[in-house]
Amino acid sequence: RQRHSTLSSRELTQNYLPNCHLIEGIEYGAEDITILDDGLAFLSTGLKYPGLPSYSDDPGKIYSLNLLDSDLKIKALNIKGQFDKGSFNPHGISVYTDEKDGAIYLFVVNHPQGKSQVEIFRFVEGENALQHIKTIRHELLHNVNDIVAVGTESFYATNDHYFTNGILKVMEPLLSLSWSDVVYYSPQTVQVVAGGFSSANGINISPDKRHLYVSNILKHKIRVMEIQKNTVLSHVKEVDVGSLCDNIEVDRESGDLWLGCHPNGLKFMLSDPNDPPGSEVIRIENILSEKPRVTQVYADDGSVIIASSVATPYGGKLLIGTVYQKALICDLK
């Protein structure tokens, strides 16, 4: 059972894209990436996650990267306001644009001292800065992995574990417990809206805001749920992806899902530099149809890029981030 959930015997055939380049300056991961309509990408970097390698003691940072610039230079976003930058440990991120005034909000899962909380920032475009608006802590947000913002102060979030105690947390996947969940948060209401995940990881929403997609990582499936009301989700289906898929990005035009995946979960958990985990990008087309199309877009055995966790397309290019290593940009065929 354990071998199956981690796909521990899986070997990878290289499947490269043309014209790939590493993004200069990303050495300690870009665990989550999201791209604005105008081609500005935000990268969540420097995650320290229990049990996984971290090659820097520096606090995490959020970088911006303009994909329309030919030189592809990352810029650290300056964080303003009452915020402890020294303990910043960013994980999943999500962008929300306020219809009313066009303001762009960046929601960031943060693990200072190993805790879980959600930071809301407003993006100050002219200054390449983030203005800290508020920190959200709640007992239901206890092991937050990823987040999708649905309002200026509301979001859905995944908890990737049920237990917060170190030993129990480690035992949880070994016991194949399906106790991980999705929480809806707004200033008025906080509640668990979906459960039964054996580690819920990436979460995102369809372009029409009617369906939620959640990666049930140890089951190698993407769960699709319809949003009836904010707190009422109905189960639609689960789509098999055959890999441990981490973050989910959704193409705004086509509605396709792009997944950064761990092809061999055991190698990912061991993270041996001499036998590194590989990387895999999977795309799902027509996910709501009777026959979704699941294809592998990119695969590497770890010699180019280790432990991919996110992949997002923009303007004919694909940007791939990792949990603790590098980031890659390629041309899509």
Side-chain angles (χ1 to χ4, degrees):
R1 203 165 62 167
Q2 198 48 41
R3 283 191 60 172
H4 176 68
S5 71
T6 61
L7 299 177
S8 59
S9 53
R10 186 165 171 217
E11 292 299 329
L12 211 60
T13 311
Q14 309 284 44
N15 174 16
Y16 285 160
L17 287 166
N19 200 18
C20 291
H21 302 277
L22 292 167
I23 300 287
E24 202 176 320
I26 300 288
E27 301 291 334
Y28 308 118
E31 198 277 339
D32 203 5
I33 298 173
T34 195
I35 305 177
L36 300 176
D37 286 337
D38 64 3
L40 189 73
F42 293 117
L43 294 81
S44 167
T45 74
L47 173 66
K48 294 160 190 63
Y49 190 87
L52 290 175
S54 160
Y55 296 108
S56 167
D57 294 331
D58 294 340
K61 291 189 177 68
I62 305 287
Y63 288 99
S64 65
L65 174 66
N66 187 341
L67 296 176
L68 299 178
D69 276 1
S70 52
D71 61 352
L72 292 177
K73 286 263 187 291
I74 58 168
K75 292 184 184 143
L77 286 161
N78 180 27
I79 297 178
K80 303 164 70 166
Q82 293 293 92
F83 182 72
D84 179 12
K85 291 186 268 200
S87 66
F88 193 31
N89 187 11
H91 198 168
I93 59 175
S94 178
V95 161
Y96 182 79
T97 304
D98 191 350
E99 306 285 292
K100 292 201 286 290
D101 57 4
I104 294 167
Y105 293 89
L106 183 69
F107 288 59
V108 181
V109 176
N110 182 17
H111 302 292
Q113 293 89 37
K115 297 192 292 275
S116 273
Q117 56 198 51
V118 172
E119 313 293 350
I120 304 180
F121 300 96
R122 196 177 70 249
F123 176 51
V124 190
E125 210 156 343
E127 305 174 32
N128 203 52
L130 293 173
Q131 177 70 43
H132 188 248
I133 307 284
K134 70 190 297 189
T135 296
I136 293 167
R137 300 184 187 92
H138 192 277
E139 59 187 14
L140 290 180
L141 299 169
H142 50 82
N143 281 298
V144 184
N145 182 301
D146 195 20
I147 187 169
V148 58
V150 290
T152 56
E153 293 185 76
S154 54
F155 56 83
Y156 293 94
T158 56
N159 284 304
D160 57 17
H161 287 74
Y162 173 79
F163 294 111
T164 47
N165 168 302
I167 295 296
L168 292 172
K169 213 165 159 173
V170 170
M171 291 303 293
E172 197 174 322
L174 304 175
L175 299 171
S176 300
L177 299 177
S178 295
W179 291 359
S180 141
D181 58 23
V182 174
V183 173
Y184 172 76
Y185 178 95
S186 75
Q188 295 76 34
T189 314
V190 190
Q191 74 182 66
V192 173
V193 289
F197 293 90
S198 55
S199 195
N201 268 241
I203 186 168
N204 218 318
I205 198 164
S206 60
D208 65 6
K209 311 285 187 253
R210 285 185 47 202
H211 290 90
L212 270 188
Y213 307 124
V214 182
S215 173
N216 197 0
I217 191 166
L218 293 173
K219 293 277 189 267
H220 326 132
K221 294 178 194 294
I222 302 299
R223 188 185 295 186
V224 181
M225 292 173 290
E226 189 171 352
I227 302 172
Q228 310 285 358
K229 295 203 291 271
N230 286 336
T231 55
V232 183
L233 306 180
S234 63
H235 183 92
V236 178
K237 64 165 112 180
E238 290 204 315
V239 178
D240 254 307
V241 286
S243 190
L244 286 83
C245 293
D246 200 326
N247 286 305
I248 303 171
E249 289 298 302
V250 178
D251 186 304
R252 282 180 199 74
E253 272 139 44
S254 64
D256 293 353
L257 278 66
W258 291 79
L259 314 168
C261 309
H262 306 294
N264 182 321
L266 183 65
K267 280 191 180 184
F268 174 61
M269 287 191 252
L270 295 174
S271 286
D272 175 357
N274 301 313
D275 183 18
S279 293
E280 183 172 33
V281 175
I282 290 173
R283 175 187 189 181
I284 308 179
E285 296 164 272
N286 311 319
I287 190 165
L288 298 172
S289 71
E290 286 298 299
K291 290 197 174 151
R293 183 160 175 254
V294 178
T295 46
Q296 184 197 71
V297 178
Y298 176 89
D300 171 55
D301 62 6
S303 52
V304 176
I305 190 168
I306 291 172
S308 57
S309 53
V310 63
T312 180
Y314 187 86
K317 295 197 179 305
L318 184 68
L319 186 54
I320 305 170
T322 64
V323 181
Y324 54 82
Q325 198 223 11
K326 299 175 195 282
L328 190 71
I329 191 162
C330 304
D331 288 347
L332 281 166
K333 295 186 178 105

